[in-house]
Each structure stands twice: as structure tokens, then as C-alpha cells.
Amino acid sequence: MKFLKYFCAASLLAASAGTLWSCDDDDDKRLSDAVLASVSSLTFEAQDTSEKIITVYADADWVTEIPDWVTVTPTEGTGVMDVTVSVSENMRDGAMDNPRKAKLVFKGRTLASRAEVLVSQVGNKFRDIPEYQKIGDVIALDDEAAVKIPSALVMAVTNKGFIISDDQQSGAIFVEDTEKVAVGDKVCVWGTKSSDGAKLPIISCAEKSDDPNREGDKVEVLSSGATVTYPTPTDLTEQIDTYTSAERSYVTVTGFFNGSTVSVADDAKYSVSALDIPEEMGLAKLNGHNITVSGYYAGLAEPVHRIIVTTIVDKGAVETVYWTEDFEWLEPWAIAGDNKGKQAGQTVEKDDLNAYCPQLPTSMVDGVSTLQALEAKGYEFLRVWDPSKDEDECIYLQKNYLKFGKTAYQAGIVLSNIEGVPEGEKTTFSFDWCPMRQGSGKIDPVNLIVIVQNGSDQQQFEIPTHGWESGHKLEWIKAEIDLAGITIDKNTKITIKQTQWPAKTANRWFLDNIKITKAE
């Protein structure tokens, strides 16, 4: 049924597109206006391959374009038919040859009536390829190129991989791998050159192999303790809003550190985010400090420049931060987006009412949803809806913050356990929030409250409303509450929610940068 629905749509598309492969031959006029295949890709082993059967859907005759190492039976047909696809063995001189892939095409009368199936066959991707001594030469390769680097120096380490360079400092590239390495290690790297979401080059080492006939990706530590000398860094502090780079330049920035973000000025559009910092670097202890951070540039994900940190210099405390949450750790889920790969957007920063907002249970990373990841950290979520409505999800992910509510549905959050506040300490609770604007320009009439609960003792604080006129540009509003005299410990429950509970109207809002600090 699913293919029939797509088939009908494809027929209409082909009819409207017109004949692009036209001729006066009667056979051509019988060719299909719509062709679909039951799969978009097929993968075969290098040896002892088994044939595969797929289905071709068409409204008339169809023909094929076939790679020379692929066999298709039949090569042409009429209407809906099963087709057998097989491949020749991928061997050379008694050993596995390089992997290969090509498009098998089932086509009708026009370019719109064309179904492509990517046929791939396993091989030894490292056969006959050169070894690269310079990282700059690796960076220049096309994506999907196999890479052998006999020796490189580890310059920086993250939780997801590491940066390598060479003795000539010809360039720096990120290696995506879970192998435990340290700065100063000399490593051998075999993998595939690719690009990340910021279009910066990486080497992926995900294709390990247990097959003795096929070499797989690998990272091997050859030696440890080498001296690491970094290039002269470019200072981003004075050019935070104008800096761009298409490579992993070495940079530095000085500013106020909060959560995982370094802010250089209150009026700066952009800030700097330290990416996937290993816990042993001790950056978390510097919340509320001015710091200088140096490292390799990892691209712009508005509104933050990302860097892979190599060195941290503490410039002294500005404020004492006991607890903070900036949701930057949710970026993998924001990038994963929905099950079709549509990424979470940035409604507030871009003033974009159409920015995509996947529901918390939708985005998945390694089988874990955004909701599960947040709940694992101890967060609880509140949801209510107008009695005329059915139960539904109404909390969403942005990049990297949360959105609450939709028309006739309201939502709130209970923070995870708060530890580390000295007994009797006077504290301040703050967060950034923003109401949503409707298509008409009206700003949702959001009234937020904060509830601080210790056992049966509960205190409520009203947050000032936005006070915006219709059509106001979306921007963050800083909310701040004096908690002097209120106990804050691991048993304290802090809730942020709305006063309209429930309501039939739209009362949508965004939340980011939650913080508990020592009161001035």
C-alpha cells in the first residue's frame, strides 16, 4: 500500500515533467511515466554472494542501466515485477579487491520516471593505497577516500576522538574513534576521510574488521610522551562576531565561563563553546571564572563557535556557581533531529517561527531519546492539557535548549538534584527564557513561576512578564530570583512552569542557561 501511494504520486510528477527522453519510436511511447523500486540500496559480500530479489513498480514498460559487474534478470519488463540482482566476486589475484559501488537504474520515459538503486560490494579499501606522511595531503582528499597514516602526533583529545597533526604542522584533522589516546602520543591511523556537520575534515575509524582477508579501520599507539608544540593562535576575543574559518585553525579566547560556554562581552552575538571536554581537564570547576581557552576550531553552530580545547588558564573567579545547566550536551540529539534526519532549529536566535522542534521522545542517539537522556540526569517534566484535548507530548528540543507547550497544552520542568551548596549559603537562581510569537505577531501571554520546595515547605516566585508589543523580535530574557534564607540542597525540588495550568490558549516558551550562584 505504501509503495502504491508513492507510485501514484510519481506518476503525476512524471506526467507534469514532460518527456525529456522523447523520440518518435513507438517503443519509447510505451515506456512508463512512473518507476519505483522496493529498495534504494543493496549490499553484497566480496565472495560467495547470494542473489537478491527486489520489486520494480511501473505503470508501463521499463528498461535498465546496469553496472558491468552487476547482473539483473530480467533487464526490462512491464508493470510491477520481481527482479533478481546478483554481482560477480570482488577478487583480484586471489585477494579481496577494493570496495565498489555503482547505481543500478530502472527507468521509464522521462527523468522523473527513474528509480536508482545503489549497489555496494564489500572489499579491502586499503588495498593499493599510498601512506600519507602529511596531514595537509589527507585534508585535500575527497570524502570517502581511504586513508593510511603511518605516524601522526596527538594534539588534543575529546570524549569522541582526537586531533592529529604532523611534524611539519601541515594541518590538523579530527579522528573520530573511541581508542584511548593522550596528547603527545604518536599514532598510526587507518580510516576514511570524511566531513563533519561543520564541513570540516575528519577521519572516521568506525569500520573495524575481524575478517583476516579484509583490513579494517584502526588506531594504534606507537609511542607516548612526545613534546607537543602548538601553532601561534588566532585570538577570537576581539573578533568573536566576525571570525570564520574553513579549517581547524588554532585559536584562543578570553572571557567569562558558564556551563560549557565562554562569553567575551554582553553585547556579543556569538560566544565560544568547549566541545566534548574530558572530565580530567577540570573545566567544570571553573564555572563563574574568567578564563583563557586555546584549542582547535571546530566550526560555527550559531550562536557559538566550537573549539576542541588544548589549554585552559584560570583568570580568577567572577562569581561562585554551585549548579548550572546550559543544555549544550544535547547537541548530538539536536543534530540527530527526527527519524528522517531533520535537525532541531533555533527559534529564538534566528527569530524563526518555522524552526523545527522535534518532540523529546523523537530524537535518538545510540537508541536513547532526548527525553530518556534528560530523565537519566534527574530531570522531571510536567504536562497538562485542556479537558477537551487528548493526552499528547508538548515539550520539544531546540539547538541547544528546550521549548515548552503548544495551543491548549502547557508544560514545565523540575530540575535535577542540586548538590554542593554550602549550608546556610545565600544564593541566586537565574535562567534565560523567551515567549513564542504567533503568526499574527501576537506574543504568547506567558506567566512563569518558580516553585522551591523542601519537604512540605513550598515557596513560589513570580517571574516578570515579557511586556513586549505585538511583533516584537524573539530574544532571550534573563530571569533572576533571590533565594536568601531558603535551603538549597540535594532534596530541594525547583520547578519552572506557567500560571496558566491548564489553558485553551497558546502559552509557549523557551528555556536555557539555568544557574544557581552565590548571592552578591
Side-chain angles (χ1 to χ4, degrees):
M1 185 64 68
K2 180 178 178 182
F3 276 107
L4 289 177
K5 180 176 75 173
Y6 292 158
F7 172 73
C8 292
S11 297
L12 292 173
L13 176 63
S16 64
T19 302
L20 301 180
W21 293 342
S22 62
C23 65
D24 295 330
D25 191 286
D26 288 341
D27 289 340
D28 180 72
K29 293 178 181 179
R30 289 197 299 268
L31 284 177
S32 175
D33 283 325
V35 181
L36 293 172
S38 60
V39 299
S40 59
S41 62
L42 293 171
T43 301
F44 293 87
E45 294 297 323
Q47 288 181 284
D48 302 323
T49 60
S50 300
E51 61 187 27
K52 300 179 185 291
I53 298 176
I54 65 174
T55 303
V56 176
Y57 300 84
D59 60 354
D61 294 347
W62 50 266
V63 295
T64 53
E65 292 178 2
I66 307 170
D68 57 9
W69 49 277
V70 178
T71 300
V72 176
T73 307
T75 58
E76 59 184 46
T78 302
V80 180
M81 295 181 63
D82 285 341
V83 173
T84 301
V85 182
S86 60
V87 297
S88 59
E89 288 192 339
N90 190 23
M91 304 294 289
R92 173 161 55 93
D93 299 330
M96 197 178 293
D97 208 347
N98 298 112
R100 52 188 178 183
K101 64 175 64 175
K103 290 180 179 178
L104 166 62
V105 181
F106 301 94
K107 64 183 184 180
R109 192 164 56 91
T110 71
L111 283 177
S113 53
R114 178 184 177 94
E116 296 182 348
V117 178
L118 181 65
V119 182
S120 303
Q121 190 168 18
V122 172
N124 181 4
K125 68 181 181 182
F126 296 109
R127 180 169 181 172
D128 301 331
I129 70 166
E131 292 186 343
Y132 294 94
Q133 307 294 331
K134 293 184 177 181
I135 300 302
D137 293 338
V138 175
I139 293 172
L141 294 173
D142 292 335
D143 282 1
E144 298 190 15
V147 174
K148 281 184 179 180
I149 303 174
S151 179
L153 182 62
V154 176
M155 310 293 288
V157 176
T158 78
N159 293 321
K160 297 179 180 178
F162 50 93
I163 293 281
I164 57 173
S165 188
D166 53 52
D167 294 338
Q168 295 79 31
Q169 296 277 354
S170 66
I173 193 167
F174 184 75
V175 179
E176 196 174 63
D177 191 70
T178 57
E179 180 72 22
K180 187 69 174 177
V181 299
V183 173
D185 283 353
K186 290 273 187 159
V187 293
C188 162
V189 176
W190 289 18
T192 301
K193 192 264 180 178
S194 184
S195 298
D196 62 14
K199 298 182 180 179
L200 294 173
I202 65 171
I203 299 173
S204 173
C205 295
E207 297 180 20
K208 312 296 183 182
S209 176
D210 295 326
D211 185 346
N213 299 312
R214 180 169 67 92
E215 297 170 306
D217 297 347
K218 65 180 180 179
V219 172
E220 293 182 353
V221 177
L222 306 176
S223 63
S224 299
T227 300
V228 174
T229 303
Y230 294 107
T232 301
T234 299
D235 194 337
L236 304 189
T237 308
E238 298 298 328
Q239 52 177 323
I240 191 72
D241 288 343
T242 59
Y243 182 79
T244 59
S245 179
E247 59 187 25
R248 296 192 185 275
S249 309
Y250 194 66
V251 299
T252 189
V253 65
T254 298
F256 177 73
F257 180 65
N258 176 32
S260 63
T261 304
V262 180
S263 302
V264 302
D266 290 340
D267 60 349
K269 179 181 177 181
Y270 296 135
S271 56
V272 170
S273 176
L275 194 64
D276 300 320
I277 300 297
E279 187 176 344
E280 55 267 26
M281 292 193 74
L283 192 58
K285 298 178 181 179
L286 299 179
N287 272 319
H289 289 225
N290 279 330
I291 63 173
T292 296
V293 177
S294 301
Y296 288 92
Y297 191 67
L300 174 65
E302 293 191 22
V304 295
H305 296 283
R306 301 182 300 177
I307 66 172
I308 295 173
V309 175
T310 57
T311 60
I312 306 166
V313 178
D314 183 9
K315 298 288 189 176
V318 177
E319 64 181 11
T320 303
V321 180
Y322 294 123
W323 188 93
T324 185
E325 175 61 272
D326 61 7
F327 298 112
E328 290 300 316
W329 61 274
L330 287 177
E331 181 163 341
W333 284 268
I335 293 173
D338 62 13
N339 54 14
K340 296 181 180 178
K342 190 175 180 181
Q343 297 184 1
Q346 293 176 298
T347 303
V348 179
E349 291 85 352
K350 298 188 177 181
D351 193 35
D352 181 6
L353 303 187
N354 297 314
Y356 184 57
C357 304
Q359 295 181 342
L360 292 189
T362 302
S363 296
M364 305 288 288
V365 174
D366 297 330
V368 177
S369 72
T370 312
L371 178 60
Q372 291 169 327
L374 285 160
E375 289 178 336
K377 282 183 172 284
Y379 289 102
E380 301 175 32
F381 294 95
L382 310 175
R383 303 167 182 84
V384 295
W385 47 91
D386 184 79
S388 65
K389 299 292 184 179
D390 295 329
E391 179 178 349
D392 197 9
E393 179 59 84
C394 55
I395 307 176
Y396 309 86
L397 176 64
Q398 293 275 261
K399 188 180 180 183
N400 296 307
Y401 49 95
L402 302 180
K403 177 185 178 183
F404 295 84
K406 61 181 180 180
T407 301
Y409 292 80
Q410 287 79 48
I413 184 172
V414 181
L415 304 187
S416 59
N417 289 345
I418 298 166
E419 300 185 11
V421 179
E423 185 176 353
E425 185 71 275
K426 296 179 179 180
T427 59
T428 299
F429 179 71
S430 63
F431 59 90
D432 293 339
W433 74 283
C434 176
M436 183 59 165
R437 187 179 69 243
Q438 301 175 19
S440 65
K442 178 183 177 181
I443 308 298
D444 284 3
V446 179
N447 294 92
L448 292 181
I449 56 174
V450 173
I451 301 171
V452 182
Q453 184 172 353
N454 288 292
S456 60
D457 180 40
Q458 180 174 296
Q459 298 194 47
Q460 179 173 306
F461 301 86
E462 292 188 6
I463 301 302
T465 58
H466 51 76
W468 293 347
E469 296 180 353
S470 180
H472 192 287
K473 180 182 178 181
L474 298 183
E475 58 183 324
W476 291 108
I477 302 169
K478 186 174 183 62
E480 192 168 272
I481 298 170
D482 182 1
L483 298 181
I486 299 177
T487 297
I488 303 294
D489 60 27
K490 65 179 182 181
N491 298 313
T492 303
K493 294 290 186 182
I494 298 181
T495 301
I496 308 173
K497 55 172 282 192
Q498 298 167 239
T499 56
Q500 308 96 326
W501 199 263
K504 293 183 178 180
T505 53
N507 295 278
R508 301 157 296 172
W509 54 286
F510 303 86
L511 175 68
D512 199 3
N513 298 324
I514 313 168
K515 186 165 58 173
I516 296 176
T517 59
K518 181 178 179 179
E520 293 295 329

